[in-house]
Amino acid sequence: MSQLIACRSTEGIVLGVDSKAVDLDAQGREVHLTVERLFPLGPRAAVAVGGAPEGVEMARALSRFIAEEKLETIDEIYSAGLAFLSSRYNEFMRAICRDVPLDPLHHVHFILAGVSGQDLENPYKLYLVWTKKKRPQLDGEEILHAFTVPRRMALEYRLSQMAQRGASAEEVFKEVRSAMESLTWYKEEVGPPYHFALIAKDGFRTLPFGG
């Protein structure tokens, strides 16, 4: 399991992720891992990844791909990234699930966040890329204000209200950080270390957990 939180603010996009993951060993037993879930995509974008542990390597590969292609705006990153992730996911599923139905353990979710080069009035964009249920391929759509994976509807509502009233990045960060801490207390699948970031016009930067 994993927890991803994303929300727009007047100064950029705030992202929050935990690092706890569960995988299966060779005997089919659950193994708890600590994984990296947040990666920069060029100078002004990032991807947060949740779901199956294999998604982490896909996100890491996407980060390298975006750097090699020198893509900077979220418009071109989302377009190229969706095709890249779909290809990688299909390769992975063909390798391990050739004759096996899609397993929920192999569902992946990506939140892409960044600065648009086309929409100057609303430059901060969020996109969700997720696994379709019917067959092993990915699809995507734009997120208007805020999103959580897994869905935490009360939290999403609070964050969406903050985004719509023009909350600052500091306000949004405090809410995201508080929510992540609270989830850890009553959701055993969510756990530290936590990582937070702000994507603004001047670039991607990490936010200190204690700040």
Side-chain angles (χ1 to χ4, degrees):
M1 190 58 74
S2 55
Q3 186 62 56
L4 314 181
I5 306 175
C7 182
R8 290 170 53 182
S9 74
T10 56
E11 299 149 303
I13 296 167
V14 175
L15 294 173
V17 303
D18 78 329
S19 300
K20 191 172 183 179
V22 177
D23 201 359
L24 299 178
D25 64 16
Q27 287 72 44
R29 296 172 299 194
E30 286 192 353
V31 179
H32 293 272
L33 310 169
T34 297
V35 300
E36 189 176 1
R37 299 193 189 280
L38 184 60
F39 300 91
L41 299 177
R44 297 190 300 166
V47 58
V49 55
E54 293 82 6
V56 173
E57 183 51 43
M58 293 167 62
R60 186 177 285 113
L62 176 63
S63 181
R64 294 193 296 265
F65 170 74
I66 297 301
E68 290 167 1
E69 295 297 315
K70 297 181 171 57
L71 304 180
E72 294 192 8
T73 70
I74 192 60
D75 318 286
E76 53 190 2
I77 287 173
Y78 172 66
S79 178
L82 180 57
F84 179 89
L85 291 172
S86 295
S87 175
R88 283 299 179 101
Y89 183 75
N90 287 338
E91 289 175 9
F92 163 70
M93 293 303 292
R94 282 197 300 270
I96 68 167
C97 301
R98 203 173 298 274
D99 300 309
V100 180
L102 181 60
D103 188 328
L105 286 174
H106 296 136
H107 287 177
V108 290
H109 313 275
F110 303 91
I111 295 179
L112 277 63
V115 182
S116 173
Q118 301 174 3
D119 190 346
L120 300 182
E121 291 188 5
N122 298 290
Y124 304 120
K125 301 293 183 182
L126 283 165
Y127 295 93
L128 174 68
V129 176
W130 77 98
T131 313
K132 282 186 172 181
K133 292 182 179 179
K134 292 186 178 180
R135 54 181 178 155
Q137 70 178 52
L138 304 184
D139 202 354
E141 65 179 352
E142 185 172 357
I143 299 166
L144 289 180
H145 302 293
F147 204 79
T148 59
V149 181
R151 304 298 297 277
R152 314 288 183 188
M153 302 310 296
L155 173 58
E156 281 187 33
Y157 177 78
R158 293 198 305 273
L159 290 173
S160 293
Q161 292 294 105
M162 293 178 72
Q164 291 178 73
R165 70 170 169 80
S168 68
E170 182 179 2
E171 290 178 279
V172 171
F173 172 46
K174 287 180 178 178
E175 181 67 24
V176 170
R177 181 179 60 188
S178 175
M180 194 70 79
E181 292 174 320
S182 297
L183 285 168
T184 302
W185 283 105
Y186 67 92
K187 295 288 184 181
E188 66 177 24
E189 67 268 21
V190 179
Y194 312 110
H195 299 280
F196 304 95
L198 175 68
I199 298 98
K201 290 181 180 178
D202 60 353
F204 168 94
R205 65 183 176 92
T206 58
L207 298 173
F209 173 65

